[in-house]
Amino acid sequence: MSKEQAAELSINTIRTLAIDAVQQAKSGHPGTPMALAPLVYTTWNRVMNFDPQDPIWPNRDRFVLSNGHASMLLWSILHLTQVQAVNAEYERLGHPSVTLDDIRRFRQLDSKAPGHPEYHWVSGVETTTGPLGQGVATSVGMAVAQKWLANRYNRPGFDIFDYKIYTVCGDGCMMEGVGSEAASLAAHLGLDNLCWVWDNNHITIEGNTSITFTEDVAARFVAYGWNVLRVGDANDIDSIEHALDIFRQTKGRPTFIVLDSHIGYGSPHKHDTSAAHGEPLGDDEVRLVKRAYGWPEDAKFLVPDGVYDHFAAGIGKRGREARQKWTELFSAYREKYPELATEIEQMQKRELPAGWDRNLPVFSADPKGIAGRDASGKVLNMLAQNIPWFLGGSADLGPSNKTTLTYDGAGDFQPATPGGKNLHYGIREHAMGAIVNGMSLSKLRPFGATFFIFSDYARPAIRLATLMELPVIFAFTHDAMGDGEDGPTHQPVEHLASLRAIPGLVTLRPADANEVVEAYRYVLQLRHQPAVLALSRQVLPTLDRNKYAAASGVSKGAYVLADAPGGKPDVILIASGSEVSLAVEAHEKLRADGIRSRVVSMPSWDIFEHQTQEYRDSVLPLDVLARVAIEQASTFGWERYVGPTGRVIGMHTFGASAPLKELQKKFGFEPYEIVAAAKEQLGRRAA
Ligand SMILES: Cc1ncc(C[n+]2csc(CCOP(=O)(O)OP(=O)(O)O)c2C)c(N)n1
Ligand SMILES: [Mg+2]
């Protein structure tokens, strides 16, 4: 078989596996894999430095399929290149990640060929995609990470990190705003390690893009500052390879390749139509397509002789050699730079370096106190000094979020200073979320920040971080009505409830400066969960921990902060964040009135839910039904803790524009309101 014949056979294998899998599943997206098989073939078999034997080799080239609906491209290539499976403990399992059987069971329960690419579920998937635009934006975070890693760890003669990021995307990714945010930042940062290939097929679900999308995309990318190339025929693998070569030689800017393609290539009736996008071709059409490819018409899931060997001789050999060379290089590096090598190894396993929590502040009791955001800023600055690969920033609100790293040498991440630890995402919250994910997928420990209200703008990426089990951190400040005068556009109401509803996301709203410290201490130790911190803008009293319980209770999600003498309360006050000190004030007033109350500080529902039943019952005893919850947020969901007869002092409307004191009065966040609610609760039960 000639080289050309082997290439054609391999490409048609990718195509027909996709066609057969979608046909068998009776659902899926055959058209784009049919069109992009040559691109994926070329990128993997001719260009990428990736060893199928070790899909977590730190210096591998990354491949991101941002048009995740075309997942069969990925399942086919992972299978044909025999990428090996790895588990969550980073152990190699000795079997392929995606088997032919998985492909036969495409989209079925437990198959390693699910509907869309799922990081953590299938080895070799670099990031979860499907929500269009997320993949391209995440790939920018990967490119940022590569630059940072290269700057910190490469030494003369030791290019430990010199990998590239290849991203494939469709019209959807070009239309979604998050892609534009990310593209703009990628160009500003001069990320020449990043290449996006746009599948310019003029087709989306509703038909030809002439009905929706008539801008000049290439001109847009030129304007951003990308190097823009065009390959006029998606079947021309030499031109594709040439364009990718140009990418690798381009310095100072990312590369955007416009690839003109035909969705459903080879299908006599569906070629170039949206009918090829998201449904099986149908048995008759499948036969016609296979005939057009010169394929046996009745063969299903066929991998012809020579195809596995062809990939083994291409990416298999090149990747193995590259990794072996790197492994030798890394051994020599470890000899010469043992500390740096240890860092790299710890980072890869998401471990923390020794002394990571050294010098975290302890705040003494202070009735005036300190704002959550200020306490957070102090902690972030300490963590960033203790953990070399801990870095991040804000979406243009650093001075307000107090997330700026101000210690000597922290530096700004900019094209000329890729070792900086302060990321400036610009006013691009959505891209920030995805970029943070991309950095985390590259094993850095990143954080992002903005006002809590604008967490909405990053929410799709936060959701994906949770789905992917990434330990990213979001420091959101101005957590409630604290920025009073800015008014209801800036006052979160439903945000806590909506984030608490994301399965697996850790949401924390600390009550005072020491709870902020403990919140970070907890979050930093997470290896597979993202966390959101909701921090106050305004000062909060620093509670006297000699009088009240220790802030380390944060690690249980909720804890008894203040109690009736000898325990056995008659009424329980549960609060989070800024409302905890109000609850404490109410508790003292109740005590003066001879009423036995308990204050439960509940910074995190999620963490509390994971404690033993015994612990939860000890905090919220089943026989104490008189309960009041206080939180400056939507009351939604608090019934689960106060029960059907309890009382929730929270928000039922949007806020208003006024000084905080007046808002607290208007909306009932005052100690006497809590006292009244507690007495009413007790009265109901006495009656
Ligand atoms: C954020 C988001 N919105 C909507 C969808 C549903 N959807 C999946 S594919 C698709 C059309 C994508 O068109 P294009 O990217 O051009 O892909 P092609 O059909 O060319 O493969 C849409 C709307 C989605 N997956 N993500
Ligand atoms: Mg399209």
Side-chain angles (χ1 to χ4, degrees):
M1 208 168 12
S2 74
K3 209 174 128 201
E4 288 71 25
Q5 285 168 325
E8 198 188 329
L9 197 66
S10 301
I11 289 165
N12 285 333
T13 306
I14 297 173
R15 287 175 165 141
T16 51
L17 283 178
I19 291 168
D20 290 340
V22 172
Q23 197 64 30
Q24 176 114 329
K26 301 195 182 69
S27 79
H29 303 77
T32 301
M34 292 158 75
L36 297 186
L39 169 70
V40 169
Y41 166 81
T42 310
T43 311
W44 282 65
N45 214 36
R46 291 195 178 176
V47 177
M48 272 172 41
N49 275 326
F50 178 96
D51 183 0
Q53 292 299 317
D54 186 2
I56 57 172
W57 168 39
N59 196 37
R60 68 191 182 279
D61 285 338
R62 275 32 174 203
F63 179 82
V64 174
L65 189 72
S66 193
N67 45 351
H69 55 276
S71 61
M72 268 312 303
L73 278 172
L74 206 43
W75 309 144
S76 298
I77 199 72
L78 290 176
H79 173 68
L80 295 173
T81 58
Q82 292 286 290
V83 168
Q84 296 295 295
V86 188
N87 66 14
E89 295 310 311
Y90 310 104
E91 295 155 347
R92 283 193 250 168
L93 298 178
H95 61 76
S97 173
V98 179
T99 64
L100 207 49
D101 232 38
D102 288 315
I103 291 177
R104 282 197 189 92
R105 300 189 58 255
F106 178 45
R107 294 179 154 243
Q108 308 308 306
L109 194 63
D110 293 334
S111 166
K112 294 288 178 184
H116 288 80
E118 303 284 352
Y119 177 76
H120 245 276
W121 177 244
V122 191
S123 308
V125 174
E126 300 285 5
T127 181
T128 293
T129 52
L132 297 171
Q134 287 294 329
V136 285
T138 302
S139 73
V140 172
M142 295 177 177
V144 166
Q146 191 279 331
K147 289 281 177 192
W148 192 90
L149 289 166
N151 178 81
R152 179 166 179 88
Y153 296 107
N154 289 359
R155 288 292 182 274
F158 292 97
D159 281 343
I160 297 299
F161 292 105
D162 63 356
Y163 61 88
K164 311 252 180 243
I165 296 100
Y166 297 88
T167 305
V168 178
C169 53
D171 298 301
C173 294
M174 289 301 102
M175 290 193 218
E176 292 288 356
V178 64
S180 304
E181 292 179 20
S184 163
L185 186 59
H188 166 76
L189 292 174
L191 300 175
D192 52 20
N193 50 356
L194 178 65
C195 177
W196 290 4
V197 183
W198 169 40
D199 176 25
N200 179 31
N201 65 8
H202 292 103
I203 293 293
T204 64
I205 291 175
E206 292 188 5
N208 194 283
T209 51
S210 61
I211 61 171
T212 48
F213 194 49
T214 45
E215 70 189 36
D216 185 337
V217 177
R220 169 154 66 98
F221 275 74
V222 169
Y224 287 141
W226 288 57
N227 183 27
V228 177
L229 308 174
R230 183 166 205 140
V231 174
D233 175 2
N235 287 317
D236 181 351
I237 57 179
D238 290 332
S239 293
I240 292 172
E241 187 178 1
H242 181 60
L244 295 175
D245 279 345
I246 294 176
F247 152 60
R248 289 191 300 178
Q249 289 156 30
T250 300
K251 295 277 170 272
R253 53 196 175 143
T255 294
F256 185 73
I257 301 176
V258 181
L259 180 71
D260 297 341
S261 84
H262 298 279
I263 195 167
Y265 173 80
S267 163
H269 300 104
K270 300 200 168 174
H271 160 111
D272 273 345
T273 73
S274 55
H277 163 88
E279 55 194 64
L281 297 175
D283 287 327
D284 295 342
E285 192 73 4
V286 169
R287 280 205 177 76
L288 294 176
V289 174
K290 287 184 177 166
R291 190 181 302 167
Y293 293 159
W295 206 254
E297 286 175 31
D298 292 317
K300 287 201 174 124
F301 302 101
L302 173 68
V303 180
D305 283 350
V307 170
Y308 292 115
D309 292 342
H310 181 61
F311 282 107
I315 187 170
K317 181 166 181 291
R318 192 179 57 253
R320 184 175 59 250
E321 287 172 0
R323 180 172 65 94
Q324 280 169 355
K325 224 171 116 194
W326 185 90
T327 307
E328 284 160 27
L329 186 75
F330 192 71
S331 302
Y333 182 82
R334 195 188 287 107
E335 294 280 301
K336 210 161 168 198
Y337 306 103
E339 281 159 23
L340 293 179
T342 301
E343 282 184 18
I344 292 170
E345 285 165 347
Q346 286 174 327
M347 196 189 320
Q348 295 307 315
K349 295 188 172 162
R350 299 204 186 283
E351 288 167 2
L352 294 166
W356 66 271
D357 60 351
R358 174 173 60 213
N359 299 334
L360 287 185
V362 177
F363 296 89
S364 31
D366 176 3
K368 182 169 164 287
I370 168 173
R373 58 175 172 162
D374 284 310
S376 160
K378 291 186 197 303
V379 178
L380 288 172
N381 269 278
M382 213 36 86
L383 290 170
Q385 290 173 77
N386 294 344
I387 308 168
W389 56 94
F390 182 88
L391 74 174
S394 167
D396 200 47
L397 288 169
S400 240
N401 300 141
K402 309 290 181 189
T403 43
T404 308
L405 304 174
T406 51
Y407 63 89
D408 265 359
D412 289 326
F413 185 92
Q414 287 290 312
T417 51
K421 300 249 277 184
N422 283 293
L423 270 290
H424 298 280
Y425 302 103
I427 308 149
R428 303 180 181 99
E429 296 84 1
H430 197 175
M432 172 177 75
I435 289 168
V436 164
N437 289 349
M439 289 196 284
S440 177
L441 287 159
S442 316
K443 304 293 173 72
L444 299 182
R445 199 69 200 269
F447 68 89
T450 180
F451 289 156
F452 192 37
I453 188 84
F454 303 130
S455 60
D456 282 342
Y457 277 45
R459 200 170 195 282
I462 296 173
R463 181 177 195 276
L464 281 183
T466 320
L467 185 57
M468 290 193 272
E469 303 185 5
L470 302 179
V472 299
I473 299 169
F474 288 97
F476 293 136
T477 69
H478 300 57
D479 66 332
M481 288 192 295
D483 62 345
E485 294 87 340
D486 272 338
T489 57
H490 282 53
Q491 293 159 352
V493 171
E494 72 282 16
H495 301 73
L496 278 171
S498 89
L499 291 167
R500 284 170 180 156
I502 297 180
L505 178 66
V506 172
T507 304
L508 272 152
R509 186 169 180 250
D512 75 349
N514 289 310
E515 279 202 8
V516 170
V517 177
E518 294 310 310
Y520 275 108
R521 196 191 305 281
Y522 179 87
V523 161
L524 260 289
Q525 294 174 80
L526 298 172
R527 289 169 74 220
H528 299 293
Q529 273 181 290
V532 163
L533 281 91
L535 301 159
S536 79
R537 168 197 188 245
Q538 75 276 25
V539 293
L540 302 178
T542 306
L543 297 164
D544 182 350
R545 299 288 170 172
N546 293 320
K547 188 164 174 200
Y548 305 116
S552 54
V554 168
S555 68
K556 303 251 191 235
Y559 63 103
V560 178
L561 177 68
D563 210 356
K568 298 246 168 247
D570 292 325
V571 56
I572 305 178
L573 312 175
I574 317 168
S576 83
S578 44
E579 286 65 68
V580 171
S581 53
L582 292 183
V584 170
E585 270 186 68
H587 165 79
E588 300 296 354
K589 287 191 201 310
L590 288 166
R591 187 214 292 263
D593 291 349
I595 294 172
R596 302 173 61 80
S597 68
R598 164 179 289 187
V599 178
V600 171
S601 175
M602 186 177 263
S604 175
W605 290 16
D606 321 87
I607 301 173
F608 186 62
E609 294 296 330
H610 284 92
Q611 305 308 313
T612 60
Q613 187 69 50
E614 196 187 353
Y615 176 77
R616 284 182 283 152
D617 291 347
S618 75
V619 175
L620 300 174
L622 294 173
D623 57 348
V624 186
L625 293 177
R627 298 180 181 190
V628 181
I630 315 104
E631 190 173 65
Q632 231 177 64
S634 166
T635 59
F636 188 87
W638 271 107
E639 318 79 46
R640 80 162 58 174
Y641 298 117
V642 298
T645 58
R647 175 71 199 284
V648 187
I649 300 177
M651 297 296 291
H652 300 273
T653 63
F654 293 115
S657 172
L660 176 61
K661 280 256 164 291
E662 282 176 51
L663 294 173
Q664 285 171 325
K665 200 158 160 201
K666 176 177 164 63
F667 292 102
F669 296 99
E670 296 209 295
Y672 75 85
E673 298 266 9
I674 303 172
V675 168
K679 288 184 176 171
E680 182 225 29
Q681 281 285 302
L682 289 169
R684 280 183 68 160
R685 260 150 271 275

